[in-house]
Amino acid sequence: MAQETIILTGDRPTGPLHLGHYVGSLLNRVQHQADTAQYIMIADMQAMTDNFDNPQKVRDNVTEVTLDYLAVGIDPNKSTIFIQSMIPQIAELTIFYLNLVTISRLKRNPTVKTEIKQKGYGEDLPAGFLMYPVHQAADITVVRANLVPVGEDQLPMLEQTNEIVRSFNRIYKTDILREVTWSKSVTPRLPGTDGKAKMGKSLGNAIFLSDPADVVAKKVMSMYTDPDHVRVEDPGKIEGNTVFTYLDIFAPDKQAVEEMKAHYQRGGLGDVKVKKYLIEVLNTLLEPMRVRRAEFAKDKSYINAVLKEGTEKTLAVAQQTMTMVKKATSLNYW
Ligand code: TRP
């Protein structure tokens, strides 16, 4: 019998979500929830691995991220939203899995490797940070997910998850854990407003879904374009011009964008005009989200109920998984 497809995705609650999240994953999730069982995890414990000295920031952003989910149209009746730290089986599974992974393998994980360098940990690398890919394998397997739609930077996590799944099933002669696949998001990675490869909250180049209209305008006005396009009448370059990259992704009127590109390349079209158009496009997209977000933000008890219900549903599944794991490892005492 073919097994049901189960999706697990998630975000670290370290700040509000931005347009990069929107094109990279949120849109996908809104589409997937129509026909697939989907868990969306707020990874507060993973956020703690590099914010353990600032738990209040993590706590506050659990609410912000939930508001962003509801604002973009994630429907708690279709998707199960839950809080990682409220599922103790994730921590329990992590301990089982840590026996199946070596330190050197963790240090070779490309994403972790890059982060260790960026954060400058050197010899003082926190063990909790190094092992977060194992923790992530527990997130995924605790609900027995087999589909994890994530961006490219997360693929090393999924490869490690599958290694753990295969080791576990082989060593304990079972098939209870499922390997995962991923569908790469069809949209290209969104560059930051500064033209750098990636939009990120810590990079200071993000447009947040919750930014007010005037903030969006200000950020777009400061965006990276063609540095050689000095006078309006000069021909301008489209390649690497972030304003056009955004228009390609977000403007519904593709023909208008093509005409603007041609005009810009010929010369005679100023950056300010193109940026004004982008501001209009982005604010048209974001305005309904702002309205919904403001509505939901008024009702804290609703947000709590959404998280509590999703977490309780997940807990029931996690308990089943743990029972299976205890049985497979023969550590089921009574
Ligand atoms: N590592 C992901 C990020 O930094 C968040 C995350 C935690 C996640 N657990 C997950 C994503 C499980 C997908 C599946 O964005």
Short mmCIF file of all heavy atoms in Angstrom, two decimals, residues 34-87:
data_model
loop_
_atom_site.label_atom_id
_atom_site.label_comp_id
_atom_site.label_asym_id
_atom_site.label_seq_id
_atom_site.Cartn_x
_atom_site.Cartn_y
_atom_site.Cartn_z
N ALA A 34 -3.66 22.49 0.48
CA ALA A 34 -4.93 22.16 -0.15
C ALA A 34 -5.12 20.65 -0.28
O ALA A 34 -6.23 20.15 -0.15
CB ALA A 34 -5.03 22.82 -1.52
N ASP A 35 -4.02 19.91 -0.52
CA ASP A 35 -4.21 18.48 -0.80
C ASP A 35 -3.24 17.55 -0.05
O ASP A 35 -3.22 16.35 -0.30
CB ASP A 35 -4.11 18.23 -2.32
CG ASP A 35 -2.82 18.79 -2.90
OD1 ASP A 35 -1.89 19.07 -2.11
OD2 ASP A 35 -2.75 18.96 -4.13
N THR A 36 -2.42 18.10 0.85
CA THR A 36 -1.44 17.25 1.53
C THR A 36 -1.42 17.54 3.03
O THR A 36 -1.54 18.70 3.43
CB THR A 36 -0.02 17.50 0.95
OG1 THR A 36 -0.10 17.49 -0.47
CG2 THR A 36 0.96 16.44 1.40
N ALA A 37 -1.25 16.48 3.81
CA ALA A 37 -1.11 16.66 5.26
C ALA A 37 0.19 17.42 5.51
O ALA A 37 1.25 17.02 5.03
CB ALA A 37 -1.07 15.31 5.96
N GLN A 38 0.09 18.51 6.22
CA GLN A 38 1.26 19.38 6.37
C GLN A 38 1.43 19.86 7.81
O GLN A 38 0.51 20.44 8.39
CB GLN A 38 1.10 20.57 5.43
CG GLN A 38 2.14 21.67 5.59
CD GLN A 38 2.09 22.69 4.47
OE1 GLN A 38 2.87 22.63 3.52
NE2 GLN A 38 1.16 23.62 4.53
N TYR A 39 2.63 19.62 8.34
CA TYR A 39 2.99 20.16 9.65
C TYR A 39 3.93 21.33 9.44
O TYR A 39 4.88 21.24 8.65
CB TYR A 39 3.73 19.11 10.48
CG TYR A 39 2.87 17.95 10.91
CD1 TYR A 39 2.75 16.83 10.09
CD2 TYR A 39 2.21 17.95 12.13
CE1 TYR A 39 1.97 15.75 10.47
CE2 TYR A 39 1.42 16.88 12.53
CZ TYR A 39 1.31 15.78 11.69
OH TYR A 39 0.55 14.72 12.08
N ILE A 40 3.68 22.41 10.16
CA ILE A 40 4.58 23.56 10.10
C ILE A 40 5.07 23.82 11.52
O ILE A 40 4.29 24.10 12.42
CB ILE A 40 3.88 24.80 9.53
CG1 ILE A 40 3.35 24.48 8.13
CG2 ILE A 40 4.85 25.99 9.49
CD1 ILE A 40 2.54 25.60 7.51
N MET A 41 6.38 23.65 11.68
CA MET A 41 6.96 23.70 13.02
C MET A 41 7.64 25.03 13.29
O MET A 41 8.44 25.51 12.48
CB MET A 41 7.98 22.58 13.16
CG MET A 41 8.53 22.48 14.56
SD MET A 41 9.85 21.27 14.62
CE MET A 41 11.12 22.21 13.82
N ILE A 42 7.34 25.62 14.43
CA ILE A 42 8.06 26.82 14.86
C ILE A 42 9.23 26.33 15.69
O ILE A 42 9.07 25.81 16.80
CB ILE A 42 7.13 27.76 15.64
CG1 ILE A 42 5.92 28.08 14.73
CG2 ILE A 42 7.89 29.01 16.06
CD1 ILE A 42 5.00 29.12 15.27
N ALA A 43 10.42 26.45 15.10
CA ALA A 43 11.62 25.80 15.63
C ALA A 43 12.26 26.63 16.74
O ALA A 43 13.38 27.15 16.59
CB ALA A 43 12.60 25.52 14.49
N ASP A 44 11.55 26.74 17.87
CA ASP A 44 12.08 27.59 18.95
C ASP A 44 13.33 27.00 19.60
O ASP A 44 14.23 27.74 19.98
CB ASP A 44 10.99 27.92 19.98
CG ASP A 44 10.40 26.71 20.67
OD1 ASP A 44 10.56 25.59 20.15
OD2 ASP A 44 9.75 26.88 21.72
N MET A 45 13.40 25.66 19.69
CA MET A 45 14.60 25.07 20.29
C MET A 45 15.81 25.21 19.35
O MET A 45 16.93 25.40 19.79
CB MET A 45 14.38 23.59 20.65
CG MET A 45 13.50 23.40 21.87
SD MET A 45 14.02 24.37 23.31
CE MET A 45 15.41 23.40 23.86
N GLN A 46 15.56 25.09 18.04
CA GLN A 46 16.67 25.32 17.11
C GLN A 46 17.11 26.78 17.18
O GLN A 46 18.30 27.08 17.12
CB GLN A 46 16.30 24.93 15.68
CG GLN A 46 17.51 24.89 14.79
CD GLN A 46 17.21 24.42 13.37
OE1 GLN A 46 17.11 25.21 12.45
NE2 GLN A 46 17.05 23.12 13.22
N ALA A 47 16.16 27.69 17.34
CA ALA A 47 16.50 29.11 17.48
C ALA A 47 17.35 29.32 18.74
O ALA A 47 18.23 30.19 18.77
CB ALA A 47 15.23 29.96 17.55
N MET A 48 17.08 28.53 19.77
CA MET A 48 17.84 28.65 21.01
C MET A 48 19.31 28.26 20.84
O MET A 48 20.15 28.72 21.62
CB MET A 48 17.22 27.78 22.11
CG MET A 48 15.93 28.35 22.68
SD MET A 48 16.19 29.80 23.71
CE MET A 48 16.63 29.00 25.26
N THR A 49 19.62 27.44 19.84
CA THR A 49 21.02 26.99 19.70
C THR A 49 21.97 28.17 19.50
O THR A 49 23.13 28.08 19.89
CB THR A 49 21.23 25.97 18.55
OG1 THR A 49 20.87 26.57 17.30
CG2 THR A 49 20.41 24.70 18.77
N ASP A 50 21.51 29.24 18.91
CA ASP A 50 22.38 30.42 18.82
C ASP A 50 21.74 31.67 19.43
O ASP A 50 22.19 32.79 19.19
CB ASP A 50 22.87 30.67 17.38
CG ASP A 50 21.75 30.86 16.40
OD1 ASP A 50 20.61 30.53 16.72
OD2 ASP A 50 22.01 31.36 15.29
N ASN A 51 20.67 31.45 20.23
CA ASN A 51 20.04 32.58 20.94
C ASN A 51 19.73 32.20 22.39
O ASN A 51 18.83 32.77 22.99
CB ASN A 51 18.73 32.98 20.25
CG ASN A 51 18.97 33.64 18.91
OD1 ASN A 51 19.30 34.82 18.84
ND2 ASN A 51 18.84 32.88 17.85
N PHE A 52 20.48 31.22 22.92
CA PHE A 52 20.15 30.73 24.27
C PHE A 52 20.28 31.82 25.32
O PHE A 52 19.67 31.75 26.38
CB PHE A 52 21.02 29.52 24.64
CG PHE A 52 22.50 29.79 24.51
CD1 PHE A 52 23.18 30.39 25.56
CD2 PHE A 52 23.18 29.45 23.35
CE1 PHE A 52 24.54 30.66 25.44
CE2 PHE A 52 24.53 29.72 23.23
CZ PHE A 52 25.21 30.33 24.27
N ASP A 53 21.05 32.86 25.01
CA ASP A 53 21.20 33.96 25.97
C ASP A 53 20.11 35.02 25.80
O ASP A 53 20.10 36.02 26.50
CB ASP A 53 22.59 34.60 25.82
CG ASP A 53 22.91 34.96 24.37
OD1 ASP A 53 22.11 34.59 23.47
OD2 ASP A 53 23.94 35.60 24.13
N ASN A 54 19.20 34.78 24.88
CA ASN A 54 18.14 35.76 24.63
C ASN A 54 16.81 35.05 24.34
O ASN A 54 16.21 35.23 23.28
CB ASN A 54 18.54 36.65 23.46
CG ASN A 54 17.70 37.92 23.38
OD1 ASN A 54 16.79 38.11 24.17
ND2 ASN A 54 17.99 38.77 22.40
N PRO A 55 16.34 34.25 25.31
CA PRO A 55 15.12 33.46 25.05
C PRO A 55 13.88 34.33 24.82
O PRO A 55 12.97 33.92 24.11
CB PRO A 55 14.96 32.61 26.31
CG PRO A 55 15.78 33.28 27.36
CD PRO A 55 16.90 33.98 26.65
N GLN A 56 13.88 35.54 25.39
CA GLN A 56 12.71 36.40 25.20
C GLN A 56 12.52 36.76 23.72
O GLN A 56 11.41 36.85 23.22
CB GLN A 56 12.85 37.68 26.05
CG GLN A 56 11.57 38.49 26.17
CD GLN A 56 10.43 37.70 26.82
OE1 GLN A 56 10.64 36.99 27.81
NE2 GLN A 56 9.22 37.79 26.26
N LYS A 57 13.64 36.94 23.03
CA LYS A 57 13.57 37.22 21.59
C LYS A 57 12.90 36.06 20.87
O LYS A 57 12.03 36.26 20.01
CB LYS A 57 15.00 37.44 21.05
CG LYS A 57 15.10 37.49 19.54
CD LYS A 57 16.52 37.77 19.10
CE LYS A 57 16.84 37.22 17.74
NZ LYS A 57 18.27 37.24 17.43
N VAL A 58 13.29 34.85 21.24
CA VAL A 58 12.70 33.66 20.62
C VAL A 58 11.20 33.61 20.94
O VAL A 58 10.36 33.44 20.06
CB VAL A 58 13.42 32.38 21.11
CG1 VAL A 58 12.73 31.13 20.57
CG2 VAL A 58 14.89 32.41 20.70
N ARG A 59 10.88 33.81 22.21
CA ARG A 59 9.48 33.75 22.64
C ARG A 59 8.63 34.78 21.88
O ARG A 59 7.56 34.47 21.37
CB ARG A 59 9.40 34.00 24.16
CG ARG A 59 7.99 34.12 24.71
CD ARG A 59 7.24 32.79 24.51
NE ARG A 59 5.83 32.88 24.83
CZ ARG A 59 4.88 33.17 23.94
NH1 ARG A 59 5.20 33.45 22.68
NH2 ARG A 59 3.62 33.19 24.29
N ASP A 60 9.12 36.01 21.80
CA ASP A 60 8.35 37.06 21.12
C ASP A 60 8.13 36.72 19.64
O ASP A 60 7.08 37.01 19.08
CB ASP A 60 9.06 38.41 21.22
CG ASP A 60 9.09 38.93 22.66
OD1 ASP A 60 8.30 38.43 23.49
OD2 ASP A 60 9.92 39.82 22.95
N ASN A 61 9.14 36.13 19.05
CA ASN A 61 9.03 35.86 17.61
C ASN A 61 8.19 34.63 17.29
O ASN A 61 7.80 34.44 16.14
CB ASN A 61 10.41 35.80 16.97
CG ASN A 61 10.95 37.21 16.76
OD1 ASN A 61 10.32 38.01 16.07
ND2 ASN A 61 12.08 37.52 17.37
N VAL A 62 7.89 33.80 18.28
CA VAL A 62 6.95 32.70 18.04
C VAL A 62 5.60 33.32 17.64
O VAL A 62 4.97 32.90 16.67
CB VAL A 62 6.79 31.80 19.30
CG1 VAL A 62 5.63 30.82 19.12
CG2 VAL A 62 8.09 31.05 19.57
N THR A 63 5.21 34.36 18.34
CA THR A 63 3.95 35.04 18.01
C THR A 63 4.05 35.73 16.65
O THR A 63 3.14 35.63 15.81
CB THR A 63 3.60 36.08 19.09
OG1 THR A 63 3.65 35.42 20.36
CG2 THR A 63 2.24 36.68 18.87
N GLU A 64 5.17 36.42 16.42
CA GLU A 64 5.33 37.14 15.14
C GLU A 64 5.25 36.19 13.95
O GLU A 64 4.58 36.47 12.95
CB GLU A 64 6.68 37.88 15.09
CG GLU A 64 6.81 39.03 16.05
CD GLU A 64 5.68 40.03 15.93
OE1 GLU A 64 5.42 40.51 14.82
OE2 GLU A 64 5.02 40.31 16.96
N VAL A 65 5.95 35.06 14.05
CA VAL A 65 5.97 34.10 12.94
C VAL A 65 4.58 33.50 12.73
O VAL A 65 4.13 33.34 11.59
CB VAL A 65 7.05 33.02 13.19
CG1 VAL A 65 6.90 31.84 12.24
CG2 VAL A 65 8.45 33.62 13.05
N THR A 66 3.89 33.21 13.83
CA THR A 66 2.52 32.68 13.70
C THR A 66 1.62 33.69 12.99
O THR A 66 0.85 33.33 12.09
CB THR A 66 1.93 32.33 15.09
OG1 THR A 66 2.87 31.53 15.80
CG2 THR A 66 0.62 31.59 14.96
N LEU A 67 1.77 34.96 13.35
CA LEU A 67 0.98 36.01 12.69
C LEU A 67 1.31 36.07 11.20
O LEU A 67 0.41 36.22 10.36
CB LEU A 67 1.25 37.37 13.33
CG LEU A 67 0.56 37.61 14.68
CD1 LEU A 67 1.09 38.89 15.34
CD2 LEU A 67 -0.96 37.72 14.49
N ASP A 68 2.58 35.93 10.88
CA ASP A 68 2.96 35.93 9.46
C ASP A 68 2.32 34.76 8.72
O ASP A 68 1.84 34.91 7.60
CB ASP A 68 4.49 35.86 9.31
CG ASP A 68 5.17 37.19 9.63
OD1 ASP A 68 4.56 38.25 9.40
OD2 ASP A 68 6.31 37.16 10.13
N TYR A 69 2.33 33.58 9.35
CA TYR A 69 1.71 32.40 8.73
C TYR A 69 0.24 32.67 8.41
O TYR A 69 -0.24 32.42 7.31
CB TYR A 69 1.77 31.18 9.67
CG TYR A 69 3.14 30.56 9.84
CD1 TYR A 69 3.38 29.69 10.91
CD2 TYR A 69 4.18 30.80 8.95
CE1 TYR A 69 4.62 29.10 11.09
CE2 TYR A 69 5.41 30.21 9.14
CZ TYR A 69 5.64 29.36 10.20
OH TYR A 69 6.85 28.78 10.38
N LEU A 70 -0.47 33.18 9.41
CA LEU A 70 -1.90 33.40 9.23
C LEU A 70 -2.12 34.51 8.19
O LEU A 70 -3.04 34.43 7.37
CB LEU A 70 -2.56 33.77 10.56
CG LEU A 70 -2.47 32.68 11.64
CD1 LEU A 70 -3.01 33.21 12.96
CD2 LEU A 70 -3.22 31.41 11.23
N ALA A 71 -1.25 35.52 8.20
CA ALA A 71 -1.40 36.63 7.26
C ALA A 71 -1.24 36.19 5.81
O ALA A 71 -1.94 36.68 4.93
CB ALA A 71 -0.40 37.74 7.60
N VAL A 72 -0.31 35.25 5.55
CA VAL A 72 -0.11 34.83 4.15
C VAL A 72 -1.15 33.82 3.70
O VAL A 72 -1.22 33.49 2.52
CB VAL A 72 1.29 34.23 3.85
CG1 VAL A 72 2.38 35.24 4.11
CG2 VAL A 72 1.53 32.95 4.62
N GLY A 73 -1.96 33.34 4.64
CA GLY A 73 -3.02 32.42 4.23
C GLY A 73 -2.79 30.97 4.60
O GLY A 73 -3.44 30.08 4.06
N ILE A 74 -1.88 30.71 5.51
CA ILE A 74 -1.79 29.34 6.05
C ILE A 74 -2.99 29.16 6.96
O ILE A 74 -3.26 29.98 7.83
CB ILE A 74 -0.43 29.12 6.75
CG1 ILE A 74 0.65 29.04 5.67
CG2 ILE A 74 -0.47 27.85 7.60
CD1 ILE A 74 2.05 29.03 6.17
N ASP A 75 -3.74 28.10 6.67
CA ASP A 75 -5.03 27.89 7.33
C ASP A 75 -4.87 26.80 8.39
O ASP A 75 -4.59 25.65 8.06
CB ASP A 75 -6.04 27.47 6.24
CG ASP A 75 -7.40 27.14 6.83
OD1 ASP A 75 -7.54 27.10 8.08
OD2 ASP A 75 -8.33 26.91 6.03
N PRO A 76 -5.03 27.15 9.66
CA PRO A 76 -4.81 26.17 10.73
C PRO A 76 -5.79 24.99 10.67
O PRO A 76 -5.55 23.98 11.33
CB PRO A 76 -4.99 26.97 12.03
CG PRO A 76 -5.52 28.29 11.64
CD PRO A 76 -5.37 28.48 10.18
N ASN A 77 -6.84 25.10 9.89
CA ASN A 77 -7.72 23.94 9.71
C ASN A 77 -7.15 22.96 8.69
O ASN A 77 -7.56 21.81 8.62
CB ASN A 77 -9.11 24.38 9.25
CG ASN A 77 -9.80 25.17 10.34
OD1 ASN A 77 -9.82 24.75 11.50
ND2 ASN A 77 -10.33 26.33 9.98
N LYS A 78 -6.21 23.44 7.89
CA LYS A 78 -5.61 22.56 6.87
C LYS A 78 -4.18 22.18 7.23
O LYS A 78 -3.71 21.08 6.93
CB LYS A 78 -5.62 23.26 5.51
CG LYS A 78 -7.02 23.52 5.00
CD LYS A 78 -6.99 24.21 3.65
CE LYS A 78 -8.37 24.50 3.12
NZ LYS A 78 -8.36 25.68 2.24
N SER A 79 -3.43 23.11 7.81
CA SER A 79 -2.04 22.85 8.20
C SER A 79 -1.96 22.78 9.71
O SER A 79 -2.66 23.51 10.40
CB SER A 79 -1.13 24.00 7.72
OG SER A 79 -1.14 24.09 6.32
N THR A 80 -1.09 21.91 10.22
CA THR A 80 -0.92 21.80 11.66
C THR A 80 0.31 22.60 12.08
O THR A 80 1.43 22.24 11.75
CB THR A 80 -0.72 20.31 12.06
OG1 THR A 80 -1.83 19.57 11.54
CG2 THR A 80 -0.64 20.15 13.56
N ILE A 81 0.07 23.70 12.77
CA ILE A 81 1.18 24.56 13.22
C ILE A 81 1.50 24.17 14.66
O ILE A 81 0.60 24.11 15.51
CB ILE A 81 0.78 26.05 13.15
CG1 ILE A 81 0.29 26.41 11.74
CG2 ILE A 81 1.96 26.94 13.56
CD1 ILE A 81 -0.30 27.82 11.63
N PHE A 82 2.77 23.88 14.94
CA PHE A 82 3.11 23.49 16.32
C PHE A 82 4.44 24.07 16.78
O PHE A 82 5.26 24.51 15.97
CB PHE A 82 3.09 21.96 16.49
CG PHE A 82 4.24 21.24 15.83
CD1 PHE A 82 5.37 20.88 16.59
CD2 PHE A 82 4.21 20.90 14.49
CE1 PHE A 82 6.43 20.19 16.00
CE2 PHE A 82 5.27 20.21 13.90
CZ PHE A 82 6.38 19.86 14.66
N ILE A 83 4.63 24.03 18.11
CA ILE A 83 5.85 24.59 18.72
C ILE A 83 6.80 23.45 19.08
O ILE A 83 6.45 22.53 19.83
CB ILE A 83 5.49 25.38 19.99
CG1 ILE A 83 4.53 26.52 19.65
CG2 ILE A 83 6.75 25.93 20.65
CD1 ILE A 83 4.04 27.30 20.87
N GLN A 84 8.00 23.53 18.54
CA GLN A 84 8.99 22.46 18.70
C GLN A 84 9.24 22.10 20.17
O GLN A 84 9.24 20.92 20.53
CB GLN A 84 10.30 22.90 18.05
CG GLN A 84 11.39 21.85 18.03
CD GLN A 84 12.68 22.41 17.43
OE1 GLN A 84 12.97 23.60 17.54
NE2 GLN A 84 13.44 21.54 16.78
N SER A 85 9.44 23.09 21.03
CA SER A 85 9.83 22.81 22.41
C SER A 85 8.72 22.12 23.20
O SER A 85 8.97 21.56 24.27
CB SER A 85 10.23 24.09 23.14
OG SER A 85 9.11 24.94 23.28
N MET A 86 7.49 22.14 22.68
CA MET A 86 6.38 21.52 23.39
C MET A 86 6.23 20.04 23.05
O MET A 86 5.33 19.37 23.53
CB MET A 86 5.07 22.27 23.09
CG MET A 86 5.05 23.68 23.64
SD MET A 86 5.32 23.74 25.42
CE MET A 86 3.71 23.19 25.99
N ILE A 87 7.13 19.54 22.19
CA ILE A 87 7.09 18.12 21.81
C ILE A 87 8.34 17.46 22.39
O ILE A 87 9.40 17.41 21.74
CB ILE A 87 7.05 17.95 20.26
CG1 ILE A 87 5.97 18.83 19.62
CG2 ILE A 87 6.87 16.47 19.87
CD1 ILE A 87 4.53 18.45 19.96
#
